[in-house]
mmCIF file of all heavy atoms in Angstrom:
data_model
loop_
_atom_site.group_PDB
_atom_site.id
_atom_site.type_symbol
_atom_site.label_atom_id
_atom_site.label_comp_id
_atom_site.label_asym_id
_atom_site.label_seq_id
_atom_site.Cartn_x
_atom_site.Cartn_y
_atom_site.Cartn_z
ATOM 1 N N GLN A 326 -2.121 104.686 10.985
ATOM 2 C CA GLN A 326 -0.962 105.348 10.369
ATOM 3 C C GLN A 326 -0.893 105.060 8.871
ATOM 4 O O GLN A 326 -0.610 105.955 8.081
ATOM 5 C CB GLN A 326 0.335 104.888 11.067
ATOM 6 C CG GLN A 326 0.502 105.401 12.490
ATOM 7 C CD GLN A 326 1.904 105.203 13.000
ATOM 8 O OE1 GLN A 326 2.874 105.402 12.256
ATOM 9 N NE2 GLN A 326 2.023 104.840 14.285
ATOM 10 N N TYR A 327 -1.107 103.787 8.498
ATOM 11 C CA TYR A 327 -1.084 103.442 7.077
ATOM 12 C C TYR A 327 -2.129 104.240 6.305
ATOM 13 O O TYR A 327 -1.918 104.629 5.148
ATOM 14 C CB TYR A 327 -1.350 101.949 6.892
ATOM 15 C CG TYR A 327 -0.130 101.064 7.097
ATOM 16 C CD1 TYR A 327 -0.273 99.710 7.410
ATOM 17 C CD2 TYR A 327 1.156 101.584 6.997
ATOM 18 C CE1 TYR A 327 0.838 98.900 7.612
ATOM 19 C CE2 TYR A 327 2.262 100.786 7.189
ATOM 20 C CZ TYR A 327 2.107 99.438 7.495
ATOM 21 O OH TYR A 327 3.205 98.657 7.690
ATOM 22 N N GLU A 328 -3.245 104.520 6.949
ATOM 23 C CA GLU A 328 -4.318 105.240 6.267
ATOM 24 C C GLU A 328 -4.022 106.724 6.139
ATOM 25 O O GLU A 328 -4.356 107.358 5.128
ATOM 26 C CB GLU A 328 -5.622 105.014 7.023
ATOM 27 C CG GLU A 328 -6.831 105.676 6.358
ATOM 28 C CD GLU A 328 -8.114 105.406 7.105
ATOM 29 O OE1 GLU A 328 -8.082 104.637 8.101
ATOM 30 O OE2 GLU A 328 -9.155 105.954 6.698
ATOM 31 N N ASN A 329 -3.363 107.291 7.153
ATOM 32 C CA ASN A 329 -3.162 108.738 7.172
ATOM 33 C C ASN A 329 -1.819 109.182 6.594
ATOM 34 O O ASN A 329 -1.709 110.273 6.036
ATOM 35 C CB ASN A 329 -3.289 109.256 8.609
ATOM 36 C CG ASN A 329 -4.697 109.051 9.155
ATOM 37 O OD1 ASN A 329 -5.674 109.121 8.398
ATOM 38 N ND2 ASN A 329 -4.803 108.799 10.458
ATOM 39 N N LEU A 330 -0.788 108.320 6.748
ATOM 40 C CA LEU A 330 0.557 108.720 6.300
ATOM 41 C C LEU A 330 0.818 108.248 4.868
ATOM 42 O O LEU A 330 1.761 107.522 4.582
ATOM 43 C CB LEU A 330 1.622 108.157 7.245
ATOM 44 C CG LEU A 330 1.526 108.605 8.703
ATOM 45 C CD1 LEU A 330 2.610 107.941 9.537
ATOM 46 C CD2 LEU A 330 1.640 110.134 8.806
ATOM 47 N N THR A 331 -0.009 108.625 3.964
ATOM 48 C CA THR A 331 0.140 108.231 2.552
ATOM 49 C C THR A 331 0.785 109.339 1.747
ATOM 50 O O THR A 331 0.720 110.524 2.114
ATOM 51 C CB THR A 331 -1.227 107.873 1.939
ATOM 52 O OG1 THR A 331 -2.080 109.017 2.021
ATOM 53 C CG2 THR A 331 -1.863 106.700 2.662
ATOM 54 N N ASN A 332 1.396 108.917 0.644
ATOM 55 C CA ASN A 332 2.030 109.881 -0.250
ATOM 56 C C ASN A 332 1.798 109.437 -1.689
ATOM 57 O O ASN A 332 1.987 108.263 -2.030
ATOM 58 C CB ASN A 332 3.527 109.964 0.035
ATOM 59 C CG ASN A 332 4.221 110.969 -0.879
ATOM 60 O OD1 ASN A 332 3.917 112.154 -0.860
ATOM 61 N ND2 ASN A 332 5.146 110.471 -1.695
ATOM 62 N N LYS A 333 1.371 110.325 -2.539
ATOM 63 C CA LYS A 333 1.120 110.047 -3.945
ATOM 64 C C LYS A 333 1.969 110.975 -4.795
ATOM 65 O O LYS A 333 2.110 112.153 -4.472
ATOM 66 C CB LYS A 333 -0.358 110.241 -4.285
ATOM 67 C CG LYS A 333 -1.304 109.414 -3.427
ATOM 68 C CD LYS A 333 -2.758 109.807 -3.666
ATOM 69 C CE LYS A 333 -3.684 109.048 -2.701
ATOM 70 N NZ LYS A 333 -5.086 109.472 -2.851
ATOM 71 N N GLY A 334 2.526 110.393 -5.861
ATOM 72 C CA GLY A 334 3.386 111.213 -6.718
ATOM 73 C C GLY A 334 3.212 110.864 -8.191
ATOM 74 O O GLY A 334 2.936 109.715 -8.548
ATOM 75 N N LEU A 335 3.375 111.825 -9.025
ATOM 76 C CA LEU A 335 3.322 111.642 -10.483
ATOM 77 C C LEU A 335 4.444 112.463 -11.091
ATOM 78 O O LEU A 335 4.585 113.651 -10.794
ATOM 79 C CB LEU A 335 1.970 112.088 -11.030
ATOM 80 C CG LEU A 335 1.704 111.776 -12.508
ATOM 81 C CD1 LEU A 335 1.680 110.270 -12.741
ATOM 82 C CD2 LEU A 335 0.384 112.397 -12.966
ATOM 83 N N GLU A 336 5.250 111.809 -11.927
ATOM 84 C CA GLU A 336 6.449 112.461 -12.450
ATOM 85 C C GLU A 336 6.559 112.219 -13.950
ATOM 86 O O GLU A 336 6.353 111.101 -14.428
ATOM 87 C CB GLU A 336 7.692 111.913 -11.746
ATOM 88 C CG GLU A 336 9.004 112.433 -12.300
ATOM 89 C CD GLU A 336 10.205 111.744 -11.680
ATOM 90 O OE1 GLU A 336 10.009 110.900 -10.772
ATOM 91 O OE2 GLU A 336 11.342 112.032 -12.107
ATOM 92 N N LEU A 337 6.850 113.250 -14.674
ATOM 93 C CA LEU A 337 7.165 113.149 -16.098
ATOM 94 C C LEU A 337 8.670 113.315 -16.236
ATOM 95 O O LEU A 337 9.214 114.366 -15.911
ATOM 96 C CB LEU A 337 6.424 114.223 -16.899
ATOM 97 C CG LEU A 337 6.612 114.161 -18.420
ATOM 98 C CD1 LEU A 337 6.010 112.872 -18.987
ATOM 99 C CD2 LEU A 337 5.992 115.384 -19.096
ATOM 100 N N ARG A 338 9.361 112.260 -16.715
ATOM 101 C CA ARG A 338 10.823 112.260 -16.712
ATOM 102 C C ARG A 338 11.359 112.096 -18.132
ATOM 103 O O ARG A 338 10.856 111.293 -18.908
ATOM 104 C CB ARG A 338 11.348 111.129 -15.839
ATOM 105 C CG ARG A 338 12.864 111.008 -15.809
ATOM 106 C CD ARG A 338 13.286 109.819 -14.977
ATOM 107 N NE ARG A 338 12.831 109.932 -13.591
ATOM 108 C CZ ARG A 338 12.993 108.976 -12.678
ATOM 109 N NH1 ARG A 338 13.595 107.839 -13.017
ATOM 110 N NH2 ARG A 338 12.549 109.152 -11.438
ATOM 111 N N MET A 339 12.383 112.853 -18.440
ATOM 112 C CA MET A 339 13.073 112.714 -19.714
ATOM 113 C C MET A 339 14.534 112.376 -19.452
ATOM 114 O O MET A 339 15.210 113.081 -18.711
ATOM 115 C CB MET A 339 12.980 113.979 -20.561
ATOM 116 C CG MET A 339 13.620 113.814 -21.941
ATOM 117 S SD MET A 339 13.401 115.247 -23.028
ATOM 118 C CE MET A 339 14.433 116.455 -22.196
ATOM 119 N N THR A 340 15.004 111.270 -20.068
ATOM 120 C CA THR A 340 16.384 110.833 -19.896
ATOM 121 C C THR A 340 17.128 111.047 -21.208
ATOM 122 O O THR A 340 16.704 110.552 -22.266
ATOM 123 C CB THR A 340 16.450 109.341 -19.515
ATOM 124 O OG1 THR A 340 15.677 109.131 -18.331
ATOM 125 C CG2 THR A 340 17.877 108.909 -19.279
ATOM 126 N N VAL A 341 18.207 111.812 -21.137
ATOM 127 C CA VAL A 341 18.989 112.141 -22.331
ATOM 128 C C VAL A 341 20.321 111.398 -22.269
ATOM 129 O O VAL A 341 21.097 111.593 -21.322
ATOM 130 C CB VAL A 341 19.240 113.656 -22.444
ATOM 131 C CG1 VAL A 341 20.041 113.966 -23.711
ATOM 132 C CG2 VAL A 341 17.924 114.413 -22.449
ATOM 133 N N PRO A 342 20.591 110.516 -23.232
ATOM 134 C CA PRO A 342 21.895 109.821 -23.230
ATOM 135 C C PRO A 342 23.017 110.773 -23.644
ATOM 136 O O PRO A 342 23.052 111.257 -24.784
ATOM 137 C CB PRO A 342 21.695 108.702 -24.262
ATOM 138 C CG PRO A 342 20.640 109.219 -25.184
ATOM 139 C CD PRO A 342 19.735 110.089 -24.366
ATOM 140 N N ILE A 343 23.912 111.048 -22.722
ATOM 141 C CA ILE A 343 25.031 111.955 -23.013
ATOM 142 C C ILE A 343 26.312 111.161 -23.227
ATOM 143 O O ILE A 343 26.985 111.306 -24.244
ATOM 144 C CB ILE A 343 25.198 112.975 -21.863
ATOM 145 C CG1 ILE A 343 23.921 113.836 -21.759
ATOM 146 C CG2 ILE A 343 26.425 113.850 -22.099
ATOM 147 C CD1 ILE A 343 23.938 114.803 -20.587
ATOM 148 N N PHE A 344 26.630 110.329 -22.258
ATOM 149 C CA PHE A 344 27.819 109.491 -22.410
ATOM 150 C C PHE A 344 27.638 108.240 -21.561
ATOM 151 O O PHE A 344 27.356 108.313 -20.368
ATOM 152 C CB PHE A 344 29.083 110.242 -21.951
ATOM 153 C CG PHE A 344 30.342 109.420 -22.067
ATOM 154 C CD1 PHE A 344 30.913 109.183 -23.319
ATOM 155 C CD2 PHE A 344 30.940 108.863 -20.936
ATOM 156 C CE1 PHE A 344 32.059 108.417 -23.426
ATOM 157 C CE2 PHE A 344 32.094 108.111 -21.052
ATOM 158 C CZ PHE A 344 32.652 107.885 -22.303
ATOM 159 N N ASN A 345 27.751 107.092 -22.180
ATOM 160 C CA ASN A 345 27.643 105.817 -21.442
ATOM 161 C C ASN A 345 28.749 104.861 -21.878
ATOM 162 O O ASN A 345 28.493 103.757 -22.321
ATOM 163 C CB ASN A 345 26.266 105.193 -21.602
ATOM 164 C CG ASN A 345 25.949 104.879 -23.052
ATOM 165 O OD1 ASN A 345 26.702 105.257 -23.958
ATOM 166 N ND2 ASN A 345 24.854 104.182 -23.296
ATOM 167 N N ASN A 346 29.965 105.317 -21.768
ATOM 168 C CA ASN A 346 31.157 104.519 -22.081
ATOM 169 C C ASN A 346 31.203 104.072 -23.537
ATOM 170 O O ASN A 346 31.684 102.983 -23.860
ATOM 171 C CB ASN A 346 31.235 103.288 -21.169
ATOM 172 C CG ASN A 346 31.158 103.647 -19.701
ATOM 173 O OD1 ASN A 346 30.150 103.388 -19.055
ATOM 174 N ND2 ASN A 346 32.208 104.269 -19.177
ATOM 175 N N TYR A 347 30.656 104.887 -24.423
ATOM 176 C CA TYR A 347 30.706 104.601 -25.868
ATOM 177 C C TYR A 347 29.894 103.357 -26.250
ATOM 178 O O TYR A 347 30.035 102.802 -27.333
ATOM 179 C CB TYR A 347 32.157 104.423 -26.324
ATOM 180 C CG TYR A 347 32.441 105.004 -27.693
ATOM 181 C CD1 TYR A 347 32.418 106.376 -27.902
ATOM 182 C CD2 TYR A 347 32.730 104.186 -28.780
ATOM 183 C CE1 TYR A 347 32.667 106.912 -29.131
ATOM 184 C CE2 TYR A 347 32.981 104.715 -30.025
ATOM 185 C CZ TYR A 347 32.959 106.083 -30.207
ATOM 186 O OH TYR A 347 33.208 106.627 -31.444
ATOM 187 N N ARG A 348 29.032 102.902 -25.314
ATOM 188 C CA ARG A 348 28.299 101.657 -25.537
ATOM 189 C C ARG A 348 27.296 101.780 -26.684
ATOM 190 O O ARG A 348 27.158 100.873 -27.500
ATOM 191 C CB ARG A 348 27.579 101.248 -24.249
ATOM 192 C CG ARG A 348 26.959 99.848 -24.314
ATOM 193 C CD ARG A 348 26.341 99.473 -22.982
ATOM 194 N NE ARG A 348 27.344 99.438 -21.933
ATOM 195 C CZ ARG A 348 27.431 100.308 -20.924
ATOM 196 N NH1 ARG A 348 26.566 101.311 -20.847
ATOM 197 N NH2 ARG A 348 28.368 100.208 -20.012
ATOM 198 N N ASN A 349 26.569 102.880 -26.735
ATOM 199 C CA ASN A 349 25.568 103.055 -27.792
ATOM 200 C C ASN A 349 26.200 103.072 -29.177
ATOM 201 O O ASN A 349 25.689 102.460 -30.131
ATOM 202 C CB ASN A 349 24.779 104.353 -27.575
ATOM 203 C CG ASN A 349 23.878 104.266 -26.359
ATOM 204 O OD1 ASN A 349 23.578 103.170 -25.883
ATOM 205 N ND2 ASN A 349 23.450 105.420 -25.859
ATOM 206 N N LYS A 350 27.322 103.750 -29.307
ATOM 207 C CA LYS A 350 28.014 103.827 -30.586
ATOM 208 C C LYS A 350 28.514 102.446 -31.003
ATOM 209 O O LYS A 350 28.373 102.040 -32.165
ATOM 210 C CB LYS A 350 29.191 104.805 -30.467
ATOM 211 C CG LYS A 350 29.944 105.046 -31.771
ATOM 212 C CD LYS A 350 29.102 105.813 -32.771
ATOM 213 C CE LYS A 350 29.918 106.189 -33.994
ATOM 214 N NZ LYS A 350 29.131 106.911 -35.001
ATOM 215 N N THR A 351 29.071 101.707 -30.038
ATOM 216 C CA THR A 351 29.585 100.365 -30.347
ATOM 217 C C THR A 351 28.460 99.430 -30.754
ATOM 218 O O THR A 351 28.587 98.670 -31.733
ATOM 219 C CB THR A 351 30.319 99.787 -29.121
ATOM 220 O OG1 THR A 351 31.404 100.657 -28.769
ATOM 221 C CG2 THR A 351 30.856 98.398 -29.419
ATOM 222 N N ASN A 352 27.340 99.465 -30.026
ATOM 223 C CA ASN A 352 26.203 98.604 -30.365
ATOM 224 C C ASN A 352 25.657 98.914 -31.752
ATOM 225 O O ASN A 352 25.249 98.006 -32.500
ATOM 226 C CB ASN A 352 25.099 98.752 -29.326
ATOM 227 C CG ASN A 352 25.483 98.151 -27.990
ATOM 228 O OD1 ASN A 352 26.366 97.305 -27.913
ATOM 229 N ND2 ASN A 352 24.821 98.600 -26.936
ATOM 230 N N THR A 353 25.661 100.174 -32.119
ATOM 231 C CA THR A 353 25.178 100.560 -33.446
ATOM 232 C C THR A 353 26.106 100.029 -34.530
ATOM 233 O O THR A 353 25.648 99.518 -35.567
ATOM 234 C CB THR A 353 25.075 102.097 -33.547
ATOM 235 O OG1 THR A 353 24.191 102.578 -32.531
ATOM 236 C CG2 THR A 353 24.558 102.514 -34.908
#
Side-chain angles (χ1 to χ4, degrees):
Q326 290 194 40
Y327 278 158
E328 183 178 356
N329 296 327
L330 300 178
T331 60
N332 180 62
K333 304 171 185 176
L335 188 64
E336 175 187 357
L337 184 65
R338 178 183 300 175
M339 184 175 69
T340 303
V341 181
I343 298 176
F344 179 74
N345 61 352
N346 306 108
Y347 218 68
R348 189 176 298 111
N349 291 342
K350 184 69 173 179
T351 301
N352 290 339
T353 302

